[in-house]
């Protein structure tokens, strides 16, 4: 099963490489990885999505917790949560397909954020599934470039991941 | 207020931390630190002849004393030479702090002379690492390093120190930090009471229980508590290779150690058990054999300080995260006034176990006859007797290591010193050196093989400089015996590069360093040679013994089998 693990990490040099290194060292897989500072400058928040059965996920969270730079973590998929990813896509927009791109962008509630005579740059947010669907819909028209942020997430309701 | 340079802070911190002896080797990036060490006389520095030996010596000291070992090396090749020793300590959860010189901050990343990203290189084999960013943080970072190395599940910690951090011209305030706090690091101090109660109930209901304990008992100093618990319940106990000595091996309840070359009765008892109480052990693949066939009828209680060790390879029915000593204590108090639910079951279980013991009694190996080459096993037994089982025993890696584990009996923890997890040839001699220098009144024996000894024999020079009287017993079979054994069993005796051609004349080699070396070729010469070897506890003696190269280590678990599937000799199997 796919899991989204969010980690509060000491904002120290080398901390990120410990997390990433752990995944390769122990043969765990990383599907997406997203990291940025939080409101507390001493902490970064890192979100990984990974695939694995219960035993593997248990090992992943235990080993992550063992890293001294990991302050706290949560497996968001254990409860209700909000998952978002942002994607920027350049698609071919020539002749008849220019309209079709525009229509599809509207259907997906995406936005065109840059335009040239032959290219639209589209911005879209949503869960990973929505982004995948958009890529699929655009594929026949011609995708030129994709930049995805990787998943970020937060739990629903009053539950909070903080110090 | 006291102003000190970074280098002086390091020397001062080591004094204030109570570090008596460190192991190291100088070089450009570490020279300010060496100069600071020179200008004080509380912390003794032992100059090794190779940085790997510094790590093994500090590691040996740590295993024998239970306190963290300290290593000091220079950047680049100094640090990379230490890597094998860091990995060795990591795999066996040994507390150690490794201080590495580094090129000056402004040169980092420029492929400067003797620059290596040692924090990067060692990342997967340390508990944690630090890079010093400003001299003023040195006291606190060092305190954190020792704190992390020694608490929770211990392990090596690397501190990378750029040369400009130790410059003599820059001085900062020094205060010894008595305590440090790391917000993300809070090792558990006790186990979950509900779980412990559940475990105790299961113990009282068990019909065929076995204790299976490991290095965690030794590291956490829980031997006494463990012995009390095992005595109280009357259960059999087997230990891992790393746990040897955590329970007195000469006691009737001890089945010896288990796993690939463990005792027949240990592996049989584990296989047939209905309850396994694992404490401070990690269900390593050298113990479990094929996990899908592991102990089919057993429920498993697993106590460990490290949650990630629990249910890693074998699922625990009752996981307990906590330090061994406090969990065992709690078990003992919960047992007060309670009795086994099936009083008749335990004696029956012991009858079965005694049956297994009797099956193998007197059949472990065939002793040599007068005039013949000695068997390695009987040499170990003879050393056991002459040292009355009281020596610190280190080993290298190979057949001699397994024979030493099988035939030297340990009644105390911290005396059996071996590289279990990494299996590092070259470990034994420098580890023995580190122990002897810190425990000069004790007898320190290193069992080695002619292959392993040659990996770290340069330390003879260090022993000469510091007058270190270790006893080196070279079980010389003229071959990389353990490799050869696998080739005999799995490759139709095609001995690809397991024969050590051109062995040196060990006697002359040792004598070149000014030490005594004795050669034993036959059965009849052993006793006198041992008398001579152990005559003076301050003298390094090298005993080169020709042993039978055809000997295999048995029992040996059959690959992919269950615990009970073992080869018992060249012709028998279970
Ligand atoms: C550094 C290192 N290299 C290789 C090995 C693989 N290995 C394990 S045992 C062994 C042979 C050891 O030979 P020796 O020291 O003579 O001991 P013996 O088995 O003959 O008693 C080897 C090569 C190892 N454990 N460590
Ligand atoms: Mg050999």
């Amino acid at each position: 099963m796919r899991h989204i693990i969010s980690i509060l990490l000491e904002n120290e040099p080398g901390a990120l490489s410990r997390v990433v290194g752990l995944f390769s060292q122990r043969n765990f897989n990383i599907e997406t990885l997203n990291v940025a500072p939080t409101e507390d400058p001493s902490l970064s928040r890192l979100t990984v999505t990974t695939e694995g059965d219960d035993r593997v996920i248990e090992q992943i969270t235990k080993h992550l917790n063992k890293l001294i730079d990991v302050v706290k973590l949560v497996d968001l998929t254990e409860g209700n949560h909000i998952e978002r990813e942002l994607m920027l896509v350049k698609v071919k927009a020539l002749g008849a397909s220019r309209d079709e791109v525009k229509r599809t962008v509207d259907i997906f509630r995406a936005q065109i954020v840059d335009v040239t005579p032959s290219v639209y740059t589209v911005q879209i947010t949503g869960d990973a599934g929505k982004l995948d669907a958009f890529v699929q819909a655009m594929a026949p028209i011609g995708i030129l470039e994709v930049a995805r942020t990787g998943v970020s997430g937060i739990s629903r309701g009053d539950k909070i991941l903080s110090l | 207020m006291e102003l000190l340079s970074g280098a002086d802070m390091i020397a001062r911190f080591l004094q204030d931390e109570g570090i008596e002896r460190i192991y190291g080797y100088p070089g450009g990036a570490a020279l300010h630190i060496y100069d600071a060490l020179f200008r004080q006389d509380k912390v003794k520095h032992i100059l090794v002849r190779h940085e790997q030996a510094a790590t093994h010596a500090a590691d040996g000291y740590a295993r024998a004393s239970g306190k963290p070992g300290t290593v000091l090396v220079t950047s680049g090749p100094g640090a990379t030479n230490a890597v094998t020793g860091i990995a060795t300590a990591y795999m066996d959860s040994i507390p150690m702090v490794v201080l590495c010189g580094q090129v000056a901050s402004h040169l980092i990343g420029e492929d400067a002379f003797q620059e290596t990203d040692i924090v990067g290189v060692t990342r997967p084999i340390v508990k944690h690492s630090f890079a010093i960013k400003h001299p003023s943080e040195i006291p606190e970072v060092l305190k954190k390093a020792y704190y992390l190395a020694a608490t929770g599940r211990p392990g090596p910690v690397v501190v990378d120190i750029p040369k400009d951090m130790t410059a003599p011209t820059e001085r900062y305030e020094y205060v010894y930090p008595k305590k440090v706090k790391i917000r993300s690091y809070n090792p558990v101090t006790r186990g979950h009471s509900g779980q412990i109660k559940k475990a105790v109930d299961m113990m009282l209901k068990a019909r065929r229980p076995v204790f299976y304990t490991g290095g965690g008992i030794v590291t956490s100093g829980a031997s006494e508590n463990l012995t009390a618990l095992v005595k109280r319940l009357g259960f059999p106990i087997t230990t891992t290779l790393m746990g040897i000595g955590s329970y007195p091996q000469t006691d009737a309840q001890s089945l010896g150690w288990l796993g690939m070359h463990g005792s027949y009765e240990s592996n049989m008892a584990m296989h047939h058990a209905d309850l396994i109480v694992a404490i401070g052990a990690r269900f390593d693949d050298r113990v479990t054999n094929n996990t899908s066939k592991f102990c089919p009828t057993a429920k498993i209680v697993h106590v460990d300080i490290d949650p990630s060790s629990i249910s890693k390879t074998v699922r625990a029915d009752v996981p307990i995260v906590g330090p061994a000593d406090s969990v065992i204590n709690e078990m003992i108090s919960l047992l007060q006034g309670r009795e086994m639910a099936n009083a008749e079951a335990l004696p029956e279980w012991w009858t079965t176990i005694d049956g297994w013991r009797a099956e193998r009694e007197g059949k472990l190996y065939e002793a040599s006859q007068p005039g013949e080459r000695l068997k390695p096993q009987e040499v170990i037994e003879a050393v056991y007797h002459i040292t009355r089982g009281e020596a610190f025993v280190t080993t290298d890696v190979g057949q001699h290591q397994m024979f030493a584990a099988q035939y030297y009996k340990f009644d105390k923890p911290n005396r059996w010193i071996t590289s279990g997890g990494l299996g590092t040839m070259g470990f034994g001699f420098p580890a023995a050196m580190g122990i002897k220098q810190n425990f000069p009144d004790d007898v320190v024996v290193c069992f080695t093989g002619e292959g392993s000894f040659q990996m770290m024999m340069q330390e003879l020079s260090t022993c000469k400089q510091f007058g270190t009287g270790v006893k080196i017993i070279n079980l010389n079979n003229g071959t990389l015996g353990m490799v050869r054994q696998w080739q005999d069993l799995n490759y139709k005796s095609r001995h690809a590069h397991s024969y050590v051609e051109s062995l040196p004349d060990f006697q002359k080699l040792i004598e070149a360093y000014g030490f005594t070396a004795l050669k034993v070729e036959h059965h009849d010469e052993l006793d006198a040679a041992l008398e001579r070897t152990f005559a003076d506890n301050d003298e390094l003696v090298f005993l080169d013994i020709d042993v039978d190269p055809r000997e295999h280590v048995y029992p040996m678990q059959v690959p992919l089998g269950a615990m009970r599937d073992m080869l018992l000799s060249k012709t028998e199997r279970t």
Side-chain angles (χ1 to χ4, degrees), chain A residues 10 18 21 25 42 55 58-59 62 66 68 70 163, chain B residues 123-124 128-129 183-185 306-308 310 312 315:
Chain A
E10 292 289 358
R18 290 182 212 273
Q25 176 188 354
S42 72
R55 197 191 68 86
E58 181 180 329
Q59 280 295 310
K62 282 174 166 178
K66 236 173 100 173
I68 310 297
V70 167
L163 273 184
Chain B
R123 191 196 43 70
H128 195 56
S129 40
R183 65 177 171 184
S184 55
Y185 177 74
D306 177 2
S308 72
I310 297 179
K312 182 169 67 180
R315 183 146 278 287

PDB file of all heavy atoms in Angstrom, chain A residues 10 18 21 25 42 55 58-59 62 66 68 70 163, chain B residues 123-124 128-129 183-185 306-308 310 312 315:
ATOM      1  N   GLU A  10      15.321  18.211  11.993  1.00  0.00           N
ATOM      2  CA  GLU A  10      16.197  19.322  12.386  1.00  0.00           C
ATOM      3  C   GLU A  10      16.706  19.987  11.117  1.00  0.00           C
ATOM      4  O   GLU A  10      17.152  19.298  10.191  1.00  0.00           O
ATOM      5  CB  GLU A  10      17.394  18.805  13.194  1.00  0.00           C
ATOM      6  CG  GLU A  10      17.058  18.244  14.561  1.00  0.00           C
ATOM      7  CD  GLU A  10      16.640  19.299  15.585  1.00  0.00           C
ATOM      8  OE1 GLU A  10      16.637  20.502  15.244  1.00  0.00           O
ATOM      9  OE2 GLU A  10      16.303  18.902  16.716  1.00  0.00           O
ATOM     10  N   ARG A  18      20.725  12.024   5.562  1.00  0.00           N
ATOM     11  CA  ARG A  18      20.525  10.863   6.441  1.00  0.00           C
ATOM     12  C   ARG A  18      19.206  10.166   6.133  1.00  0.00           C
ATOM     13  O   ARG A  18      19.103   8.950   6.148  1.00  0.00           O
ATOM     14  CB  ARG A  18      20.536  11.282   7.903  1.00  0.00           C
ATOM     15  CG  ARG A  18      21.903  11.709   8.390  1.00  0.00           C
ATOM     16  CD  ARG A  18      21.836  12.068   9.867  1.00  0.00           C
ATOM     17  NE  ARG A  18      22.784  13.106  10.189  1.00  0.00           N
ATOM     18  CZ  ARG A  18      24.066  12.882  10.515  1.00  0.00           C
ATOM     19  NH1 ARG A  18      24.510  11.662  10.584  1.00  0.00           N
ATOM     20  NH2 ARG A  18      24.867  13.885  10.774  1.00  0.00           N
ATOM     21  N   GLY A  21      19.525   8.637   2.626  1.00  0.00           N
ATOM     22  CA  GLY A  21      20.462   7.523   2.714  1.00  0.00           C
ATOM     23  C   GLY A  21      19.833   6.310   3.373  1.00  0.00           C
ATOM     24  O   GLY A  21      20.063   5.174   2.961  1.00  0.00           O
ATOM     25  N   GLN A  25      19.926   2.642   1.848  1.00  0.00           N
ATOM     26  CA  GLN A  25      20.685   1.679   2.636  1.00  0.00           C
ATOM     27  C   GLN A  25      19.845   0.466   3.009  1.00  0.00           C
ATOM     28  O   GLN A  25      20.329  -0.658   3.017  1.00  0.00           O
ATOM     29  CB  GLN A  25      21.151   2.403   3.903  1.00  0.00           C
ATOM     30  CG  GLN A  25      21.889   1.574   4.914  1.00  0.00           C
ATOM     31  CD  GLN A  25      22.103   2.392   6.204  1.00  0.00           C
ATOM     32  OE1 GLN A  25      21.792   3.573   6.269  1.00  0.00           O
ATOM     33  NE2 GLN A  25      22.634   1.753   7.220  1.00  0.00           N
ATOM     34  N   SER A  42      14.097  26.341  12.906  1.00  0.00           N
ATOM     35  CA  SER A  42      14.988  25.238  13.271  1.00  0.00           C
ATOM     36  C   SER A  42      14.492  23.902  12.721  1.00  0.00           C
ATOM     37  O   SER A  42      15.145  22.886  12.881  1.00  0.00           O
ATOM     38  CB  SER A  42      15.124  25.157  14.788  1.00  0.00           C
ATOM     39  OG  SER A  42      13.928  24.675  15.359  1.00  0.00           O
ATOM     40  N   ARG A  55       4.658  -4.551   7.337  1.00  0.00           N
ATOM     41  CA  ARG A  55       5.940  -4.845   7.967  1.00  0.00           C
ATOM     42  C   ARG A  55       7.004  -3.833   7.504  1.00  0.00           C
ATOM     43  O   ARG A  55       7.760  -3.293   8.303  1.00  0.00           O
ATOM     44  CB  ARG A  55       6.384  -6.270   7.608  1.00  0.00           C
ATOM     45  CG  ARG A  55       7.476  -6.828   8.502  1.00  0.00           C
ATOM     46  CD  ARG A  55       8.045  -8.123   7.903  1.00  0.00           C
ATOM     47  NE  ARG A  55       8.769  -7.855   6.667  1.00  0.00           N
ATOM     48  CZ  ARG A  55      10.049  -7.493   6.617  1.00  0.00           C
ATOM     49  NH1 ARG A  55      10.743  -7.372   7.717  1.00  0.00           N
ATOM     50  NH2 ARG A  55      10.636  -7.244   5.456  1.00  0.00           N
ATOM     51  N   GLU A  58       6.309  -0.367   8.933  1.00  0.00           N
ATOM     52  CA  GLU A  58       6.690  -0.333  10.352  1.00  0.00           C
ATOM     53  C   GLU A  58       8.201  -0.139  10.479  1.00  0.00           C
ATOM     54  O   GLU A  58       8.682   0.667  11.272  1.00  0.00           O
ATOM     55  CB  GLU A  58       6.260  -1.650  11.018  1.00  0.00           C
ATOM     56  CG  GLU A  58       6.584  -1.735  12.492  1.00  0.00           C
ATOM     57  CD  GLU A  58       6.136  -3.062  13.109  1.00  0.00           C
ATOM     58  OE1 GLU A  58       5.122  -3.645  12.647  1.00  0.00           O
ATOM     59  OE2 GLU A  58       6.820  -3.522  14.035  1.00  0.00           O
ATOM     60  N   GLN A  59       8.963  -0.870   9.665  1.00  0.00           N
ATOM     61  CA  GLN A  59      10.419  -0.725   9.697  1.00  0.00           C
ATOM     62  C   GLN A  59      10.842   0.680   9.263  1.00  0.00           C
ATOM     63  O   GLN A  59      11.729   1.272   9.859  1.00  0.00           O
ATOM     64  CB  GLN A  59      11.068  -1.776   8.783  1.00  0.00           C
ATOM     65  CG  GLN A  59      11.176  -3.152   9.426  1.00  0.00           C
ATOM     66  CD  GLN A  59      12.111  -3.156  10.626  1.00  0.00           C
ATOM     67  OE1 GLN A  59      13.232  -2.676  10.563  1.00  0.00           O
ATOM     68  NE2 GLN A  59      11.632  -3.670  11.741  1.00  0.00           N
ATOM     69  N   LYS A  62      10.103   3.114  12.090  1.00  0.00           N
ATOM     70  CA  LYS A  62      10.999   2.883  13.233  1.00  0.00           C
ATOM     71  C   LYS A  62      12.413   3.375  12.933  1.00  0.00           C
ATOM     72  O   LYS A  62      13.052   4.002  13.774  1.00  0.00           O
ATOM     73  CB  LYS A  62      11.049   1.398  13.572  1.00  0.00           C
ATOM     74  CG  LYS A  62       9.827   0.902  14.341  1.00  0.00           C
ATOM     75  CD  LYS A  62       9.918  -0.607  14.494  1.00  0.00           C
ATOM     76  CE  LYS A  62       8.946  -1.145  15.523  1.00  0.00           C
ATOM     77  NZ  LYS A  62       9.046  -2.621  15.603  1.00  0.00           N
ATOM     78  N   LYS A  66      14.630   6.548  14.557  1.00  0.00           N
ATOM     79  CA  LYS A  66      15.934   6.329  15.184  1.00  0.00           C
ATOM     80  C   LYS A  66      16.950   7.387  14.772  1.00  0.00           C
ATOM     81  O   LYS A  66      17.914   7.628  15.489  1.00  0.00           O
ATOM     82  CB  LYS A  66      16.451   4.960  14.728  1.00  0.00           C
ATOM     83  CG  LYS A  66      16.781   4.033  15.861  1.00  0.00           C
ATOM     84  CD  LYS A  66      17.105   2.663  15.329  1.00  0.00           C
ATOM     85  CE  LYS A  66      18.571   2.408  15.264  1.00  0.00           C
ATOM     86  NZ  LYS A  66      18.851   0.998  14.903  1.00  0.00           N
ATOM     87  N   ILE A  68      18.776  10.622  14.624  1.00  0.00           N
ATOM     88  CA  ILE A  68      18.808  11.651  15.666  1.00  0.00           C
ATOM     89  C   ILE A  68      18.198  12.951  15.151  1.00  0.00           C
ATOM     90  O   ILE A  68      17.579  13.696  15.907  1.00  0.00           O
ATOM     91  CB  ILE A  68      20.262  11.894  16.141  1.00  0.00           C
ATOM     92  CG1 ILE A  68      20.950  10.575  16.491  1.00  0.00           C
ATOM     93  CG2 ILE A  68      20.304  12.876  17.303  1.00  0.00           C
ATOM     94  CD1 ILE A  68      20.363   9.791  17.618  1.00  0.00           C
ATOM     95  N   VAL A  70      15.667  13.305  13.219  1.00  0.00           N
ATOM     96  CA  VAL A  70      14.215  13.251  13.066  1.00  0.00           C
ATOM     97  C   VAL A  70      13.573  13.579  14.412  1.00  0.00           C
ATOM     98  O   VAL A  70      13.793  12.897  15.410  1.00  0.00           O
ATOM     99  CB  VAL A  70      13.762  11.862  12.574  1.00  0.00           C
ATOM    100  CG1 VAL A  70      12.250  11.709  12.710  1.00  0.00           C
ATOM    101  CG2 VAL A  70      14.188  11.660  11.127  1.00  0.00           C
ATOM    102  N   LEU A 163       6.247  20.244  17.532  1.00  0.00           N
ATOM    103  CA  LEU A 163       7.187  19.872  18.602  1.00  0.00           C
ATOM    104  C   LEU A 163       6.465  19.389  19.853  1.00  0.00           C
ATOM    105  O   LEU A 163       5.468  19.965  20.260  1.00  0.00           O
ATOM    106  CB  LEU A 163       8.033  21.081  18.969  1.00  0.00           C
ATOM    107  CG  LEU A 163       9.291  21.267  18.129  1.00  0.00           C
ATOM    108  CD1 LEU A 163      10.070  22.457  18.688  1.00  0.00           C
ATOM    109  CD2 LEU A 163      10.169  20.018  18.179  1.00  0.00           C
TER     110      LEU A 163
ATOM    111  N   ARG B 123      28.234   7.740   7.014  1.00  0.00           N
ATOM    112  CA  ARG B 123      26.836   7.948   7.388  1.00  0.00           C
ATOM    113  C   ARG B 123      26.057   6.664   7.698  1.00  0.00           C
ATOM    114  O   ARG B 123      25.379   6.585   8.721  1.00  0.00           O
ATOM    115  CB  ARG B 123      26.096   8.782   6.329  1.00  0.00           C
ATOM    116  CG  ARG B 123      24.736   9.253   6.785  1.00  0.00           C
ATOM    117  CD  ARG B 123      23.882   9.722   5.637  1.00  0.00           C
ATOM    118  NE  ARG B 123      23.957   8.855   4.486  1.00  0.00           N
ATOM    119  CZ  ARG B 123      23.448   7.632   4.410  1.00  0.00           C
ATOM    120  NH1 ARG B 123      22.786   7.140   5.428  1.00  0.00           N
ATOM    121  NH2 ARG B 123      23.590   6.906   3.329  1.00  0.00           N
ATOM    122  N   PRO B 124      26.176   5.618   6.862  1.00  0.00           N
ATOM    123  CA  PRO B 124      25.377   4.424   7.180  1.00  0.00           C
ATOM    124  C   PRO B 124      25.955   3.556   8.295  1.00  0.00           C
ATOM    125  O   PRO B 124      25.338   2.567   8.666  1.00  0.00           O
ATOM    126  CB  PRO B 124      25.372   3.639   5.856  1.00  0.00           C
ATOM    127  CG  PRO B 124      26.335   4.301   4.949  1.00  0.00           C
ATOM    128  CD  PRO B 124      26.920   5.490   5.604  1.00  0.00           C
ATOM    129  N   HIS B 128      25.404   8.508  14.889  1.00  0.00           N
ATOM    130  CA  HIS B 128      25.195   9.893  14.485  1.00  0.00           C
ATOM    131  C   HIS B 128      26.556  10.511  14.184  1.00  0.00           C
ATOM    132  O   HIS B 128      27.582   9.937  14.548  1.00  0.00           O
ATOM    133  CB  HIS B 128      24.496  10.682  15.598  1.00  0.00           C
ATOM    134  CG  HIS B 128      23.928  11.993  15.130  1.00  0.00           C
ATOM    135  ND1 HIS B 128      23.026  12.080  14.092  1.00  0.00           N
ATOM    136  CD2 HIS B 128      24.139  13.268  15.536  1.00  0.00           C
ATOM    137  CE1 HIS B 128      22.701  13.350  13.899  1.00  0.00           C
ATOM    138  NE2 HIS B 128      23.364  14.090  14.759  1.00  0.00           N
ATOM    139  N   SER B 129      26.555  11.653  13.523  1.00  0.00           N
ATOM    140  CA  SER B 129      27.823  12.344  13.306  1.00  0.00           C
ATOM    141  C   SER B 129      27.611  13.846  13.394  1.00  0.00           C
ATOM    142  O   SER B 129      26.492  14.336  13.213  1.00  0.00           O
ATOM    143  CB  SER B 129      28.427  11.963  11.953  1.00  0.00           C
ATOM    144  OG  SER B 129      27.439  11.881  10.967  1.00  0.00           O
ATOM    145  N   ARG B 183      16.668  17.333  21.729  1.00  0.00           N
ATOM    146  CA  ARG B 183      15.197  17.277  21.799  1.00  0.00           C
ATOM    147  C   ARG B 183      14.612  16.086  21.057  1.00  0.00           C
ATOM    148  O   ARG B 183      13.534  15.620  21.374  1.00  0.00           O
ATOM    149  CB  ARG B 183      14.585  18.579  21.292  1.00  0.00           C
ATOM    150  CG  ARG B 183      14.836  18.863  19.826  1.00  0.00           C
ATOM    151  CD  ARG B 183      14.138  20.138  19.414  1.00  0.00           C
ATOM    152  NE  ARG B 183      14.531  20.536  18.067  1.00  0.00           N
ATOM    153  CZ  ARG B 183      14.128  21.649  17.487  1.00  0.00           C
ATOM    154  NH1 ARG B 183      13.332  22.473  18.121  1.00  0.00           N
ATOM    155  NH2 ARG B 183      14.518  21.937  16.265  1.00  0.00           N
ATOM    156  N   SER B 184      15.342  15.621  20.029  1.00  0.00           N
ATOM    157  CA  SER B 184      14.772  14.536  19.227  1.00  0.00           C
ATOM    158  C   SER B 184      15.254  13.175  19.708  1.00  0.00           C
ATOM    159  O   SER B 184      15.024  12.171  19.062  1.00  0.00           O
ATOM    160  CB  SER B 184      15.197  14.729  17.780  1.00  0.00           C
ATOM    161  OG  SER B 184      16.611  14.809  17.725  1.00  0.00           O
ATOM    162  N   TYR B 185      15.948  13.130  20.834  1.00  0.00           N
ATOM    163  CA  TYR B 185      16.541  11.871  21.280  1.00  0.00           C
ATOM    164  C   TYR B 185      16.203  11.630  22.743  1.00  0.00           C
ATOM    165  O   TYR B 185      16.733  12.295  23.629  1.00  0.00           O
ATOM    166  CB  TYR B 185      18.059  11.939  21.092  1.00  0.00           C
ATOM    167  CG  TYR B 185      18.815  10.722  21.576  1.00  0.00           C
ATOM    168  CD1 TYR B 185      18.782   9.530  20.849  1.00  0.00           C
ATOM    169  CD2 TYR B 185      19.568  10.761  22.750  1.00  0.00           C
ATOM    170  CE1 TYR B 185      19.479   8.419  21.300  1.00  0.00           C
ATOM    171  CE2 TYR B 185      20.264   9.657  23.192  1.00  0.00           C
ATOM    172  CZ  TYR B 185      20.218   8.489  22.460  1.00  0.00           C
ATOM    173  OH  TYR B 185      20.905   7.387  22.895  1.00  0.00           O
ATOM    174  N   ASP B 306      15.887  -1.005  21.205  1.00  0.00           N
ATOM    175  CA  ASP B 306      15.736  -0.414  19.877  1.00  0.00           C
ATOM    176  C   ASP B 306      14.471  -0.951  19.218  1.00  0.00           C
ATOM    177  O   ASP B 306      14.425  -2.106  18.818  1.00  0.00           O
ATOM    178  CB  ASP B 306      16.972  -0.772  19.041  1.00  0.00           C
ATOM    179  CG  ASP B 306      16.862  -0.263  17.604  1.00  0.00           C
ATOM    180  OD1 ASP B 306      15.851   0.398  17.272  1.00  0.00           O
ATOM    181  OD2 ASP B 306      17.787  -0.530  16.821  1.00  0.00           O
ATOM    182  N   PRO B 307      13.432  -0.110  19.103  1.00  0.00           N
ATOM    183  CA  PRO B 307      12.174  -0.605  18.520  1.00  0.00           C
ATOM    184  C   PRO B 307      12.364  -1.191  17.119  1.00  0.00           C
ATOM    185  O   PRO B 307      11.642  -2.108  16.733  1.00  0.00           O
ATOM    186  CB  PRO B 307      11.272   0.625  18.481  1.00  0.00           C
ATOM    187  CG  PRO B 307      12.077   1.782  18.941  1.00  0.00           C
ATOM    188  CD  PRO B 307      13.372   1.297  19.500  1.00  0.00           C
ATOM    189  N   SER B 308      13.348  -0.683  16.367  1.00  0.00           N
ATOM    190  CA  SER B 308      13.502  -1.176  14.998  1.00  0.00           C
ATOM    191  C   SER B 308      14.096  -2.582  14.955  1.00  0.00           C
ATOM    192  O   SER B 308      14.097  -3.229  13.918  1.00  0.00           O
ATOM    193  CB  SER B 308      14.346  -0.210  14.158  1.00  0.00           C
ATOM    194  OG  SER B 308      15.696  -0.269  14.537  1.00  0.00           O
ATOM    195  N   ILE B 310      12.823  -4.914  16.826  1.00  0.00           N
ATOM    196  CA  ILE B 310      11.693  -5.793  17.136  1.00  0.00           C
ATOM    197  C   ILE B 310      10.851  -6.007  15.884  1.00  0.00           C
ATOM    198  O   ILE B 310      10.520  -5.067  15.178  1.00  0.00           O
ATOM    199  CB  ILE B 310      10.857  -5.208  18.292  1.00  0.00           C
ATOM    200  CG1 ILE B 310      11.729  -5.140  19.552  1.00  0.00           C
ATOM    201  CG2 ILE B 310       9.610  -6.034  18.532  1.00  0.00           C
ATOM    202  CD1 ILE B 310      11.050  -4.553  20.766  1.00  0.00           C
ATOM    203  N   LYS B 312      11.768  -7.157  13.157  1.00  0.00           N
ATOM    204  CA  LYS B 312      12.485  -6.844  11.916  1.00  0.00           C
ATOM    205  C   LYS B 312      12.575  -8.081  11.028  1.00  0.00           C
ATOM    206  O   LYS B 312      12.245  -8.029   9.853  1.00  0.00           O
ATOM    207  CB  LYS B 312      13.888  -6.311  12.233  1.00  0.00           C
ATOM    208  CG  LYS B 312      14.682  -5.928  10.990  1.00  0.00           C
ATOM    209  CD  LYS B 312      15.960  -5.166  11.321  1.00  0.00           C
ATOM    210  CE  LYS B 312      16.958  -6.060  12.061  1.00  0.00           C
ATOM    211  NZ  LYS B 312      18.202  -5.347  12.395  1.00  0.00           N
ATOM    212  N   ARG B 315       8.528 -11.934  13.648  1.00  0.00           N
ATOM    213  CA  ARG B 315       7.490 -11.153  14.322  1.00  0.00           C
ATOM    214  C   ARG B 315       7.393 -11.524  15.803  1.00  0.00           C
ATOM    215  O   ARG B 315       7.386 -12.689  16.158  1.00  0.00           O
ATOM    216  CB  ARG B 315       6.142 -11.379  13.623  1.00  0.00           C
ATOM    217  CG  ARG B 315       5.027 -10.564  14.197  1.00  0.00           C
ATOM    218  CD  ARG B 315       4.011 -10.111  13.149  1.00  0.00           C
ATOM    219  NE  ARG B 315       4.394  -8.922  12.379  1.00  0.00           N
ATOM    220  CZ  ARG B 315       4.408  -7.673  12.868  1.00  0.00           C
ATOM    221  NH1 ARG B 315       4.090  -7.413  14.116  1.00  0.00           N
ATOM    222  NH2 ARG B 315       4.752  -6.665  12.100  1.00  0.00           N
TER     223      ARG B 315
END
